[in-house]
Amino acid sequence: MHRRAWLTLLPCPVALGCPAGGPGAAGIAGDPARPCAATLLAGGTIHIGFRPDDRPVEALGLAADGTVVAAGRERDVRAVACPDARVFDLAGACALPGLVDAHGHIASLGRDRRQVDLRGTADAEEAARRAAERAATLPPGAWLFGRGWDQNGWPGAAFPDRETLDAVLGDRPAMLTRVDGHAVWLDSAALAAAGIDAGTPDPVGGAILRRPDGTPTGVLLDNAIDRVTARLPPPDPATRREDLRRALEHLADRGLTAVHDMGVTAEDLLELEALSREGRLPLRVVAYLDGTRPLPDDRHAGPLGPRLRLAGVKGFADGALGSRGALLLEDHADQPGHRGLEVTSVPGLVELGRQAAARGLALAVHAIGDAGVRNALDAFERLEAEGLRTGVPRIEHVQVVAPADLPRLAALGIVASMQPVHAVSDMPWAEARVGPDRIRLAYAWRALAESGATLAFGTDFPVEEPDPFATLRAAATRRNAEGEPAEGWYPGQCLDVRAALRAMTEGAALASGSPAASGRLEPGRPGDVTVLDRDPLAVPLDELDDLRPRFTMVDGVVREPRREVP
Ligand SMILES: [Zn+2]
């Protein structure tokens, strides 16, 4: 019972001075057109938004469909309650506008989560046992995937072999990826499916581990892994839908009420649409089509059933900093003569923007290096001049910005869609890549905020865990999960928690271009709510990671996180 204290339902006639009116009366006395509050939240801190002058309110009232009816003093909200209203006593917990992850990849997260988790296994036999348990749930012949094994934690620290898997999996192909992604462990069926045998040469930059007679042991390193992945069958629609559903439940468990999927395929959009129409989306999805593929002609901006909206198209200006693909204006500091990859030129981005505009879709551009960001800005400027701006333009990541370009985002009304956790993941090597000057405007969310640009925060899941509290901690402290460095990494770019939360609510809502969502709990707006165990504005900075979601509300539906996350 204790666990559910925050969901205590106070029956209206006992707890409230309920307004007069028969049971089921739909309207408020004096204004039958205005819906009454079917749900009331009170008894804790309630933030309606995170602008500098926003103050918490005592109570929040939502209509049956989840629309905010009233937010303010408790007695005023109670005055508009339906006769049969349900009342949630927050019991000291904290309600806020629903948290949004403004950049992620739902299908990839689902694929990752389909894999058997092999972290913490004591030896190869235990890993094989876990794999066999999962295999028992799969259709005959289907590939089994797993990840997370680490032979350094096993007796003898030796790489495992295919026979250990063959013994429990028989002829089912299996690919188990090492914790770092740089090695895979296959059984004999998978080796055969990939066409790898004693006669297969090692590829450049990779290795097939072998016995003295040349036969593969079952472990492949680095570029040799491509031989398997290139031959994997594409997942069937049912598997893809299940991947999406699994990922969405995981995202909702994190306390999120909406995610922006930055790069869905037309096929996955169909599956999302099916889930939406079946009422199986546990949170809102704002979809951006993958602009590296031909855009479907029949897709236009707008809702695709409950909780799903197609908003835009995502293109790529450059690659990533870690793999040296980020396009920089000057050489990479640790590789003279190398400036990175121009994945799409300015004319290419403009053309993508034209195709997006023809469908009413917004353009989002992945840009990491300062030259990539400049190209994106130039493309947006040209589209603006041609009158082809649709929806809300956004630049994804914005990791390195040239000082001259800093004011251009605000001037062009472009949202900076950033992932604070990337900064603390990349900090061990990022400065070597860009050098001591450019690092000052790298992952520079504070400088961007002060330039007047709207920030929207996300995690780029599954690259990072879709953990909104890690985002808060990284944004506000620029420390990693271990609390390092103590003073924060380039702490001048720390944002206060209020501003970080604004980027995860109002900023994300603005970025989505949704006409309804405001990311604020204001009357007439969708009342997407995240309830946390504590007030993020009141906890010490080093406890932000420990915040936990109690429940979420979307469209008036309460959802508690599942205790066991599959
Ligand atoms: Zn991404």
Side-chain angles (χ1 to χ4, degrees):
M1 286 306 288
H2 176 73
R3 201 179 68 83
R4 293 182 56 93
W6 53 88
L7 271 180
T8 305
L9 212 54
L10 303 178
C12 178
V14 177
L16 301 180
C18 290
I28 293 167
D31 185 0
R34 191 171 153 208
C36 57
T39 304
L40 270 69
L41 273 68
T45 306
I46 300 174
H47 294 292
I48 60 158
F50 296 103
R51 295 180 185 172
D53 50 357
D54 282 333
R55 293 292 166 262
V57 297
E58 290 174 7
L60 178 71
L62 305 178
D65 68 356
T67 305
V68 177
V69 176
R73 285 184 303 181
E74 191 168 344
R75 70 161 185 269
D76 295 338
V77 176
R78 287 183 175 204
V80 299
C82 305
D84 54 352
R86 53 180 182 170
V87 181
F88 289 126
D89 177 6
L90 292 171
C94 177
L96 46 140
L99 295 173
V100 182
D101 191 313
H103 184 124
H105 304 274
I106 301 169
S108 307
L109 178 66
R111 270 196 299 279
D112 266 24
R113 296 194 65 77
R114 170 157 35 105
Q115 306 196 3
V116 188
D117 185 356
L118 302 173
R119 286 171 298 180
T121 44
D123 51 29
E125 285 69 27
E126 187 189 346
R129 252 195 322 277
R130 279 195 206 172
E133 281 167 23
R134 179 63 62 89
T137 69
L138 298 176
W143 277 75
L144 172 82
F145 300 100
R147 70 173 304 130
W149 58 271
D150 182 358
Q151 84 286 359
N152 289 321
W154 294 347
F159 273 121
D161 59 31
R162 58 189 154 90
E163 286 82 1
T164 309
L165 291 177
D166 293 348
V168 293
L169 296 175
D171 55 4
R172 178 188 300 283
M175 180 172 87
L176 309 179
T177 305
R178 192 178 181 277
V179 64
D180 64 357
H182 288 275
V184 296
W185 173 20
L186 308 175
D187 61 2
S188 297
L191 283 168
I196 296 172
D197 58 26
T200 310
D202 286 357
V204 175
I208 299 167
L209 299 192
R210 302 167 197 271
R211 308 231 156 86
D213 65 356
T215 54
T217 66
V219 172
L220 312 182
L221 304 183
D222 287 306
N223 288 351
I225 299 169
D226 300 343
R227 280 201 71 105
V228 196
T229 50
R231 300 204 182 194
L232 291 175
D236 58 275
T239 303
R240 278 189 284 115
R241 191 180 304 186
E242 184 56 22
D243 283 349
L244 293 165
R245 198 201 54 77
R246 184 186 300 109
L248 289 162
E249 295 292 339
H250 180 69
L251 293 162
D253 283 340
R254 293 308 188 109
L256 299 166
T257 60
V259 293
H260 300 181
D261 193 320
M262 301 311 296
V264 291
T265 62
E267 297 78 35
D268 282 337
L269 190 61
L270 273 176
E271 301 307 328
L272 283 169
E273 199 176 353
L275 287 170
S276 161
R277 303 217 187 269
E278 291 165 10
R280 295 172 74 203
L281 294 183
L283 74 175
R284 295 188 202 283
V285 176
V286 181
Y288 289 73
L289 286 165
D290 177 355
T292 65
R293 299 161 183 247
L295 297 183
D297 286 325
D298 58 340
R299 290 297 195 183
H300 298 270
L304 294 171
R307 300 186 179 179
L308 176 63
R309 237 182 93 250
L310 179 59
V313 176
K314 191 189 79 170
F316 288 82
D318 62 356
L321 205 53
S323 50
R324 300 179 189 279
L327 189 64
L328 296 176
L329 292 164
E330 304 291 338
D331 293 355
H332 285 219
D334 54 357
Q335 193 178 348
H338 179 78
R339 295 196 175 176
L341 300 172
E342 184 178 83
V343 174
T344 314
S345 64
V346 174
L349 292 171
V350 170
E351 175 53 29
L352 185 61
R354 281 195 197 106
Q355 294 180 22
R359 294 162 174 82
L361 296 167
L363 179 63
V365 177
H366 160 118
I368 301 248
D370 51 9
V373 171
R374 178 166 294 175
N375 283 355
L377 289 164
D378 289 350
F380 279 123
E381 212 165 63
R382 219 179 286 175
L383 287 164
E384 181 84 45
E386 290 181 25
L388 291 175
R389 175 195 174 118
T390 42
V392 176
R394 40 195 285 178
I395 299 182
E396 304 303 310
H397 311 304
V398 213
Q399 281 179 5
V400 187
V401 187
D405 290 329
L406 192 60
R408 295 178 70 198
L409 282 96
L412 288 163
I414 296 168
V415 171
S417 168
M418 305 182 79
Q419 300 74 37
V421 175
H422 281 343
V424 294
S425 293
D426 297 357
M427 66 184 174
W429 47 261
E431 185 161 354
R433 203 72 96 237
V434 301
D437 292 328
R438 288 176 292 193
I439 199 70
R440 298 187 180 282
L441 275 182
Y443 313 89
W445 41 82
R446 175 139 181 196
L448 281 157
E450 287 175 350
S451 78
T454 295
L455 299 180
F457 282 165
T459 60
D460 205 5
F461 62 80
V463 176
E464 310 277 2
E465 266 294 302
D467 177 354
F469 313 113
T471 296
L472 263 188
R473 178 251 306 151
T477 71
R478 294 178 69 101
R479 294 196 287 249
N480 63 17
E482 287 71 47
E484 292 162 349
E487 68 284 7
W489 185 59
Y490 289 95
Q493 292 299 335
C494 290
L495 214 53
D496 63 63
V497 175
R498 178 182 286 273
L501 283 163
R502 190 173 176 187
M504 300 162 74
T505 53
E506 187 179 359
L510 281 168
S512 77
S514 162
S518 71
R520 296 171 58 76
L521 297 173
E522 295 167 321
R525 296 293 190 166
D528 294 358
V529 178
T530 297
V531 175
L532 304 179
D533 57 349
R534 290 187 290 164
D535 180 357
L537 296 185
V539 301
L541 288 179
D542 59 5
E543 292 178 21
L544 289 169
D545 267 319
D546 305 328
L547 289 165
R548 288 293 170 268
R550 292 307 198 199
F551 64 92
T552 54
M553 294 188 74
V554 178
D555 297 330
V557 178
V558 172
R559 184 185 183 285
E560 283 185 273
R562 297 163 300 167
R563 262 177 294 178
E564 282 158 41
V565 180

